[in-house]
Amino acid sequence: MAITPTVVKAEKREEFGKGSARRLRRDGKIPGVLYEKGIDNVHFAVDRIEMTAVVRNEGVNAIVELEIDGEKLLAMVKHVDQNVLTLEIDHIDLFGIKRGEKVTVDVPVVLEGEATPGAVVLQEADVIEIEIDALSIPDELTVSIEGKEIGDTLHASDVKLPEGAELISDPETLVVNVTFEQVDEELEAEAEAAEEGGADAGAEAAEETESE
């Protein structure tokens, strides 16, 4: 489904450096840079609350229209720097795109359904890389594990992609592995030995107490 980009108002930045960035953050704004082939980088500042909502609600591949000096620039979120303590966004990088242009993105993989009883489902890949129209990027790719049995596997080539999308990840990339619960026999033996040792020590202590 086509995306209607969120319009985010921005202002050009004329000052740079850590001091300028700190002042912007103190004023509730986020410094950022828009990169695009063929044009000079655009340094901007946006409202922290507004941009945080976009990233939180629309995910890692959020598409926005950056409105700056009366011009709207279509762009995709490429990188977000977060404060390690507050987790607030400290800086954001956008990549300029054109309508109808295809982009390469990592899309999260989500499992749905239930495997057969006793089966353990291991998700080996959390994302799949695809190429798709910039305004048709899905929030996630759904993979059904309904009724899967021990020994079943699903690879990137088994994931259903949106219309017009092309798989970039290796088709043989293992996404789901359905297996059984594995018990580490060596660890189990050590645990049993420890229990027996504890029991023996307790018995010896009891005998010594009785003999005193």
Side-chain angles (χ1 to χ4, degrees), residues 49-99:
I49 294 176
E50 187 176 9
M51 183 56 79
T52 299
V54 170
V55 173
R56 180 178 298 140
N57 297 332
E58 301 181 26
V60 293
N61 297 316
I63 301 293
V64 300
E65 277 192 316
L66 198 67
E67 185 176 340
I68 185 167
D69 290 344
E71 183 181 7
K72 290 182 180 179
L73 304 173
L74 192 63
M76 179 172 64
V77 174
K78 290 300 293 181
H79 183 73
V80 173
D81 283 330
Q82 287 183 296
N83 184 292
V84 294
L85 297 178
T86 66
L87 298 182
E88 290 184 336
I89 298 177
D90 278 348
H91 189 277
I92 191 164
D93 289 337
L94 304 180
F95 181 71
I97 54 179
K98 304 295 184 186
R99 293 183 184 276

Side-chain angles (χ1 to χ4, degrees), residues 62-165:
I63 301 293
V64 300
E65 277 192 316
L66 198 67
E67 185 176 340
I68 185 167
D69 290 344
E71 183 181 7
K72 290 182 180 179
L73 304 173
L74 192 63
M76 179 172 64
V77 174
K78 290 300 293 181
H79 183 73
V80 173
D81 283 330
Q82 287 183 296
N83 184 292
V84 294
L85 297 178
T86 66
L87 298 182
E88 290 184 336
I89 298 177
D90 278 348
H91 189 277
I92 191 164
D93 289 337
L94 304 180
F95 181 71
I97 54 179
K98 304 295 184 186
R99 293 183 184 276
E101 178 181 359
K102 287 194 171 184
V103 293
T104 299
V105 293
D106 287 333
V107 180
V109 176
V110 175
L111 307 185
E112 69 173 10
E114 297 288 340
T116 56
V120 175
V121 178
L122 302 179
Q123 183 170 349
E124 305 289 353
D126 295 323
V127 298
I128 287 180
E129 189 176 33
I130 64 173
E131 184 181 70
I132 191 169
D133 186 300
L135 296 184
S136 299
I137 302 171
D139 294 331
E140 60 190 27
L141 297 171
T142 303
V143 175
S144 175
I145 57 169
E146 187 65 36
K148 295 299 179 184
E149 300 178 350
I150 294 173
D152 287 343
T153 57
L154 292 170
H155 298 81
S157 58
D158 298 314
V159 180
K160 184 178 179 180
L161 303 181
E163 184 177 353

